[in-house]
Amino acid sequence: MKVTVVGAGNVGATCADVLAYREIANEVVVVDIKEGLAEGKALDIWEKAPINLYDTRTIGSTNDYSKTAGSEVVVITSGLPRKPGMSRDDLIGTNAKIVKSVTENVIEHSPDAIIIVVSNPLDVMTYQAHLTSKAPRTKVMGMAGILDTARYRAFLAEALDVSPKDIQAVLMGGHGDTMVPLPRYTTVGGIPVTELIDDEKLEAIVQRTKTGGGELVKLMGTSAWYAPGSAAAQMVEAIVRDQRRVFPVCIQLDGEYGINDCYLGVPVILGKNGVEKVIELQLNDDEMELLKTSEQHVREVMKVLEDM
């Protein structure tokens, strides 16, 4: 069982560390373009194995994709991180070239791999990876919904002073300011969240969730990594262990929610074949309007890529 993480930056290294610590695969290969970076971080994670008691072997590689051959899942985190004042859309030109090149190398050595994209702008980079790989839509997906939902749940747990373990939520749409948190599908220990918090506080949390990535960029001067890396590892675990978890992930829609050929976050069942099923919720008019607005924004950025 082999998993590859492309990109040994903060997000990729965190993902590889979680995969190793949780023994999700026998071997985790980390690849990066910077000389020695992947080897160093993989070695550091491996040297931690006797301390944290795990067996997963971590291997680093500087741009040698032959070491990734036969990977069941590949996580792509490559690309420039966001800087203060920079929108995700600003990254599209550079990161599209990087994701295209990475995907070509991945498919050459692991033609049957399931691909998880983490690079920003997320929805459009998933589109790029799908175009390049020519794989079925169920095998190329983006990690955003789990991260965004985690932020939403964390903020709610803080506001309600309860354990985040007991909060379940659904979030849809693009990764960014037009994402669509769904309070109607949010519960705390099975109790609808609307019974536990007033509308004004809930709306404030929804708005904070939408700008959650930007909040961290302002604080740290760069993008987040602990939560994104862990979220990607959770998706890998669901696939490798065929857990059939229900997660929001970015996938090309094929008629679901009345949308075609657009990459949006929707709830799916995630298992050994990738996306086993797209779940269609019965959205009300307001929720559908928000999803359509998110769709329009993603299509605009997709067009930027298509026009390049």
Side-chain angles (χ1 to χ4, degrees), residues 65-297:
Y65 282 82
S66 66
K67 293 182 179 179
T68 72
S71 295
E72 294 200 27
V73 184
V74 176
V75 180
I76 300 176
T77 72
S78 309
L80 295 179
R82 241 184 345 153
K83 302 295 184 185
M86 179 188 289
S87 72
R88 287 188 175 88
D89 300 355
D90 293 334
L91 299 175
I92 187 168
T94 300
N95 285 358
K97 293 176 184 176
I98 294 171
V99 169
K100 182 177 186 293
S101 174
V102 167
T103 305
E104 288 170 347
N105 284 306
V106 163
I107 292 301
E108 179 183 351
H109 294 92
S110 303
D112 298 321
I114 293 170
I115 297 173
I116 298 171
V117 180
V118 185
S119 308
N120 277 320
L122 188 282
D123 312 287
V124 184
M125 291 306 102
T126 305
Y127 177 31
Q128 178 66 76
H130 193 192
L131 282 176
T132 305
S133 69
K134 299 180 176 62
R137 67 168 184 148
T138 55
K139 298 184 72 172
V140 184
M141 65 201 77
M143 187 295 296
I146 292 176
L147 169 63
D148 294 330
T149 305
R151 286 171 174 160
Y152 178 44
R153 292 160 64 197
F155 300 154
L156 281 170
E158 191 176 11
L160 295 170
D161 195 21
V162 300
S163 170
K165 295 177 184 177
D166 291 328
I167 300 177
Q168 292 295 321
V170 177
L171 186 149
M172 295 176 62
H175 182 47
D177 298 347
T178 63
M179 70 178 73
V180 186
L182 298 171
R184 193 162 62 90
Y185 290 99
T186 304
T187 60
V188 183
I191 303 165
V193 72
T194 49
E195 294 187 17
L196 301 174
I197 192 169
D198 64 54
D199 291 344
E200 186 176 344
K201 287 182 180 178
L202 184 56
E203 179 58 27
I205 288 171
V206 167
Q207 291 305 315
R208 187 183 179 193
T209 301
K210 290 183 177 183
T211 58
E215 178 182 358
L216 289 163
V217 171
K218 287 177 183 176
L219 289 169
M220 302 188 295
T222 188
S223 300
W225 61 87
Y226 293 124
S230 299
Q234 189 174 56
M235 289 176 68
V236 174
E237 181 178 27
I239 294 166
V240 169
R241 294 181 173 164
D242 192 23
Q243 292 177 329
R244 300 186 66 82
R245 297 289 303 274
V246 176
F247 287 140
V249 309
C250 177
I251 184 176
Q252 180 193 43
L253 295 183
D254 186 19
E256 296 90 356
Y257 300 96
I259 298 171
N260 283 285
D261 299 321
C262 187
Y263 293 75
L264 286 173
V266 293
V268 307
I269 297 174
L270 204 57
K272 65 179 180 181
N273 299 309
V275 174
E276 305 282 355
K277 180 182 180 181
V278 175
I279 298 172
E280 286 198 72
L281 303 175
Q282 297 301 310
L283 301 182
N284 60 34
D285 291 344
D286 290 341
E287 293 161 346
M288 184 59 77
E289 184 177 350
L290 289 172
L291 185 61
K292 290 292 185 180
T293 299
S294 192
E295 175 199 358
Q296 182 179 354
H297 174 75

